[in-house]
Coordinates of all heavy atoms in Angstrom, one line a residue:
G18 N 0.8 -1.2 0.0 CA 0.0 0.0 0.0 C 0.8 1.3 0.0 O 2.1 1.2 -0.1
P19 N 0.2 2.4 0.1 CA 0.9 3.7 0.1 C 1.7 4.0 1.4 O 1.4 3.4 2.4 CB -0.2 4.7 -0.1 CG -1.4 4.0 0.6 CD -1.3 2.6 0.3
V20 N 2.7 4.8 1.2 CA 3.6 5.2 2.3 C 3.8 6.7 2.3 O 4.1 7.3 1.2 CB 5.0 4.5 2.2 CG1 5.9 5.0 3.3 CG2 4.8 3.0 2.3
D21 N 3.6 7.3 3.4 CA 3.9 8.8 3.6 C 5.4 8.9 4.0 O 5.8 8.2 4.9 CB 3.0 9.4 4.6 CG 1.6 9.6 4.1 OD1 1.3 9.5 2.9 OD2 0.7 9.8 5.0
L22 N 6.1 9.8 3.3 CA 7.5 10.0 3.6 C 7.6 11.3 4.4 O 7.3 12.4 4.0 CB 8.3 10.1 2.3 CG 8.2 8.9 1.4 CD1 8.9 9.2 0.1 CD2 8.9 7.7 2.1
V23 N 8.1 11.2 5.7 CA 8.2 12.3 6.6 C 9.7 12.5 7.0 O 10.3 11.5 7.5 CB 7.3 12.1 7.8 CG1 7.4 13.3 8.8 CG2 5.9 11.9 7.4
R24 N 10.2 13.7 6.9 CA 11.5 14.0 7.4 C 11.4 15.1 8.4 O 10.3 15.5 8.8 CB 12.5 14.4 6.2 CG 12.6 13.3 5.2 CD 13.6 13.6 4.1 NE 14.9 13.6 4.6 CZ 16.0 13.9 3.8 NH1 15.8 14.2 2.5 NH2 17.2 13.9 4.3
H25 N 12.6 15.7 8.7 CA 12.5 16.8 9.7 C 11.7 18.0 9.3 O 11.1 18.6 10.2 CB 14.0 17.3 10.0 CG 14.9 16.3 10.5 ND1 14.7 15.6 11.7 CD2 16.0 15.7 10.0 CE1 15.7 14.7 11.9 NE2 16.5 14.8 10.9
S26 N 11.6 18.2 8.0 CA 10.8 19.4 7.5 C 9.3 19.0 7.4 O 8.5 19.9 7.1 CB 11.3 19.8 6.2 OG 11.2 18.7 5.2
G27 N 8.9 17.8 7.7 CA 7.5 17.3 7.6 C 7.3 16.4 6.4 O 8.3 15.7 6.0
L28 N 6.1 16.3 5.9 CA 5.8 15.5 4.8 C 6.5 15.9 3.5 O 6.4 17.1 3.1 CB 4.3 15.5 4.5 CG 3.8 14.6 3.4 CD1 4.0 13.1 3.8 CD2 2.3 14.8 3.1
V29 N 7.3 15.0 2.9 CA 8.1 15.4 1.7 C 7.6 14.6 0.5 O 8.1 14.9 -0.6 CB 9.6 15.1 2.0 CG1 10.1 16.0 3.1 CG2 9.9 13.6 2.3
G30 N 6.7 13.7 0.6 CA 6.2 13.0 -0.5 C 5.6 11.7 -0.1 O 5.4 11.4 1.0
R31 N 5.2 10.9 -1.2 CA 4.6 9.6 -1.0 C 5.1 8.6 -1.9 O 5.6 9.0 -3.0 CB 3.0 9.7 -1.2 CG 2.3 10.5 -0.1 CD 0.8 10.6 -0.3 NE 0.1 11.2 0.8 CZ -0.1 12.5 1.0 NH1 0.3 13.3 0.0 NH2 -0.7 12.9 2.0
T32 N 5.2 7.4 -1.5 CA 5.6 6.3 -2.3 C 4.7 5.1 -2.0 O 3.6 5.2 -1.4 CB 7.1 6.0 -2.1 OG1 7.5 4.9 -3.0 CG2 7.4 5.5 -0.7
S33 N 5.1 3.9 -2.3 CA 4.3 2.7 -2.0 C 5.3 1.5 -1.8 O 6.4 1.5 -2.2 CB 3.3 2.4 -3.1 OG 4.0 2.1 -4.4
I34 N 4.8 0.5 -1.1 CA 5.6 -0.7 -0.9 C 4.7 -2.0 -1.3 O 3.5 -1.9 -1.4 CB 6.0 -0.9 0.6 CG1 4.8 -0.9 1.5 CG2 7.0 0.2 0.9 CD1 5.1 -1.2 2.9
L35 N 5.4 -3.1 -1.5 CA 4.7 -4.4 -1.6 C 4.7 -5.0 -0.3 O 5.1 -4.4 0.8 CB 5.4 -5.2 -2.7 CG 5.5 -4.6 -4.1 CD1 6.3 -5.6 -5.0 CD2 4.1 -4.4 -4.6
F36 N 4.2 -6.3 -0.2 CA 4.2 -7.0 1.1 C 5.6 -7.1 1.6 O 6.5 -7.6 0.9 CB 3.6 -8.4 0.9 CG 3.4 -9.2 2.1 CD1 2.3 -9.1 2.9 CD2 4.5 -10.0 2.5 CE1 2.2 -9.9 4.0 CE2 4.4 -10.8 3.6 CZ 3.2 -10.7 4.4
I37 N 5.8 -6.7 2.9 CA 7.1 -6.8 3.5 C 7.0 -7.7 4.8 O 6.3 -7.3 5.7 CB 7.7 -5.4 4.0 CG1 7.6 -4.4 2.8 CG2 9.1 -5.6 4.5 CD1 8.5 -4.8 1.6
A38 N 7.7 -8.8 4.7 CA 7.6 -9.8 5.8 C 8.4 -9.3 7.0 O 9.3 -8.5 6.9 CB 8.1 -11.2 5.4
P39 N 8.1 -9.8 8.3 CA 8.9 -9.4 9.4 C 10.4 -9.8 9.2 O 10.7 -10.9 8.7 CB 8.3 -10.2 10.6 CG 6.9 -10.5 10.1 CD 6.9 -10.6 8.6
G40 N 11.3 -8.9 9.5 CA 12.7 -9.2 9.3 C 13.2 -8.9 7.8 O 14.4 -9.1 7.6
E41 N 12.3 -8.6 6.9 CA 12.7 -8.4 5.5 C 13.3 -7.0 5.3 O 12.8 -6.0 5.8 CB 11.5 -8.7 4.6 CG 11.9 -8.5 3.1 CD 10.7 -8.8 2.2 OE1 9.6 -9.2 2.8 OE2 10.8 -8.6 1.0
R42 N 14.3 -6.9 4.5 CA 14.9 -5.6 4.1 C 14.1 -5.0 2.9 O 13.8 -5.8 2.0 CB 16.4 -5.8 3.8 CG 17.1 -4.5 3.5 CD 18.6 -4.7 3.3 NE 18.8 -5.5 2.1 CZ 20.0 -5.9 1.6 NH1 21.1 -5.5 2.3 NH2 20.1 -6.6 0.6
F43 N 13.9 -3.7 3.0 CA 13.2 -3.1 1.9 C 13.7 -1.7 1.6 O 14.4 -1.1 2.5 CB 11.7 -3.1 2.1 CG 11.3 -2.2 3.3 CD1 10.8 -1.0 3.2 CD2 11.4 -2.7 4.6 CE1 10.4 -0.2 4.3 CE2 11.0 -2.0 5.7 CZ 10.5 -0.7 5.6
D44 N 13.5 -1.2 0.4 CA 14.0 0.2 0.0 C 12.8 1.2 0.0 O 11.7 0.8 -0.3 CB 14.6 0.1 -1.3 CG 15.9 -0.7 -1.3 OD1 16.4 -1.1 -0.2 OD2 16.5 -1.0 -2.4
L45 N 13.1 2.4 0.2 CA 12.2 3.5 0.0 C 12.9 4.6 -0.8 O 14.1 4.9 -0.5 CB 11.7 4.1 1.3 CG 10.8 3.2 2.2 CD1 10.6 3.9 3.5 CD2 9.5 2.9 1.5
G46 N 12.2 5.2 -1.8 CA 12.8 6.3 -2.5 C 12.2 7.6 -1.9 O 11.0 7.8 -1.7
W47 N 13.1 8.6 -1.7 CA 12.8 9.8 -1.0 C 12.8 11.0 -2.0 O 12.8 12.2 -1.5 CB 13.7 10.1 0.2 CG 13.5 9.1 1.2 CD1 13.9 7.8 1.3 CD2 12.7 9.3 2.5 NE1 13.5 7.2 2.4 CE2 12.8 8.1 3.2 CE3 12.0 10.4 3.0 CZ2 12.2 7.9 4.4 CZ3 11.4 10.2 4.2 CH2 11.5 9.0 4.9
G48 N 12.8 10.8 -3.3 CA 12.8 11.9 -4.2 C 14.2 12.4 -4.6 O 15.2 12.0 -4.0
P49 N 14.2 13.4 -5.5 CA 15.5 14.0 -6.0 C 16.2 14.9 -4.9 O 15.5 15.5 -4.2 CB 15.1 14.7 -7.2 CG 13.7 15.1 -7.0 CD 13.1 14.0 -6.2
D50 N 17.5 14.9 -5.0 CA 18.3 15.8 -4.2 C 18.4 17.2 -5.0 O 18.9 17.2 -6.1 CB 19.7 15.3 -4.0 CG 20.5 16.1 -3.0 OD1 20.6 17.3 -3.2 OD2 21.0 15.5 -2.0
S51 N 17.9 18.2 -4.4 CA 17.8 19.5 -5.1 C 19.1 20.2 -5.4 O 19.2 21.1 -6.2 CB 16.9 20.5 -4.2 OG 17.5 20.7 -2.9
S52 N 20.2 19.7 -4.7 CA 21.5 20.4 -4.9 C 22.3 19.7 -6.0 O 23.4 20.1 -6.3 CB 22.3 20.4 -3.6 OG 22.6 19.1 -3.2
L53 N 21.8 18.6 -6.6 CA 22.5 17.8 -7.6 C 21.8 17.9 -8.9 O 20.6 17.7 -9.0 CB 22.7 16.4 -7.1 CG 23.5 16.2 -5.8 CD1 23.4 14.7 -5.4 CD2 24.9 16.7 -5.9
R54 N 22.6 18.1 -10.0 CA 22.0 18.2 -11.3 C 22.6 17.1 -12.2 O 23.8 16.8 -12.0 CB 22.3 19.6 -11.9 CG 21.6 20.7 -11.2 CD 20.1 20.7 -11.4 NE 19.5 21.9 -10.9 CZ 19.0 21.9 -9.6 NH1 19.1 20.9 -8.8 NH2 18.5 23.0 -9.2
V55 N 21.8 16.6 -13.1 CA 22.3 15.5 -14.0 C 21.9 15.9 -15.5 O 20.7 16.3 -15.7 CB 21.6 14.1 -13.6 CG1 22.1 13.0 -14.6 CG2 21.9 13.8 -12.2
H56 N 22.8 15.6 -16.4 CA 22.4 15.8 -17.8 C 23.0 14.6 -18.6 O 24.2 14.2 -18.4 CB 23.1 17.1 -18.4 CG 22.8 17.2 -19.8 ND1 21.6 17.5 -20.4 CD2 23.7 17.1 -20.9 CE1 21.7 17.6 -21.7 NE2 22.9 17.4 -22.0
R57 N 22.1 13.9 -19.3 CA 22.5 12.7 -20.1 C 22.3 13.0 -21.6 O 21.3 13.5 -22.0 CB 21.6 11.6 -19.7 CG 21.9 10.3 -20.4 CD 21.0 9.1 -19.9 NE 21.4 7.8 -20.5 CZ 20.8 7.3 -21.5 NH1 19.8 8.0 -22.2 NH2 21.2 6.1 -22.0
K58 N 23.4 12.6 -22.4 CA 23.4 12.8 -23.8 C 23.7 11.5 -24.5 O 24.7 10.9 -24.2 CB 24.4 13.9 -24.2 CG 24.5 14.2 -25.7 CD 25.6 15.2 -26.0 CE 25.7 15.3 -27.5 NZ 26.8 16.3 -27.8
V59 N 22.9 11.1 -25.5 CA 23.1 9.9 -26.3 C 23.5 10.4 -27.7 O 22.7 11.1 -28.3 CB 21.9 9.0 -26.3 CG1 22.2 7.8 -27.1 CG2 21.5 8.6 -24.9
E60 N 24.6 9.9 -28.1 CA 25.1 10.2 -29.5 C 25.1 8.9 -30.3 O 25.9 8.0 -30.0 CB 26.5 10.8 -29.4 CG 27.0 11.3 -30.8 CD 28.3 12.0 -30.7 OE1 28.9 12.0 -29.6 OE2 28.8 12.4 -31.7
L61 N 24.3 8.9 -31.4 CA 24.2 7.7 -32.3 C 25.2 8.0 -33.4 O 25.0 8.8 -34.2 CB 22.8 7.5 -32.8 CG 21.7 7.3 -31.8 CD1 20.4 7.1 -32.5 CD2 22.0 6.1 -30.9
L62 N 26.4 7.3 -33.4 CA 27.4 7.5 -34.3 C 27.1 6.9 -35.7 O 26.2 6.1 -35.8 CB 28.7 7.0 -33.8 CG 29.1 7.5 -32.4 CD1 30.4 6.9 -31.9 CD2 29.2 9.0 -32.4

């Protein structure tokens, strides 16, 4: 189901998870870092 993402500044976004068993490791995505920029270029030779 859905997951609310809360940090020191409060609610920062929402994501979702699948079934997570007791003791199971799982990942959460917290959105982009505002101080980092990325540019990707593909050149077909």
Side-chain angles (χ1 to χ4, degrees):
V20 176
D21 289 344
L22 301 172
V23 180
R24 301 184 69 181
H25 297 299
S26 57
L28 181 69
V29 296
R31 290 182 172 86
T32 185
S33 62
I34 58 172
L35 299 177
F36 181 92
I37 308 296
E41 182 179 352
R42 186 175 62 178
F43 64 101
D44 294 350
L45 292 173
W47 293 77
D50 189 305
S51 60
S52 64
L53 300 174
R54 296 289 186 270
V55 181
H56 177 70
R57 180 179 187 265
K58 176 184 177 182
V59 180
E60 185 178 1
L61 301 179
L62 305 179

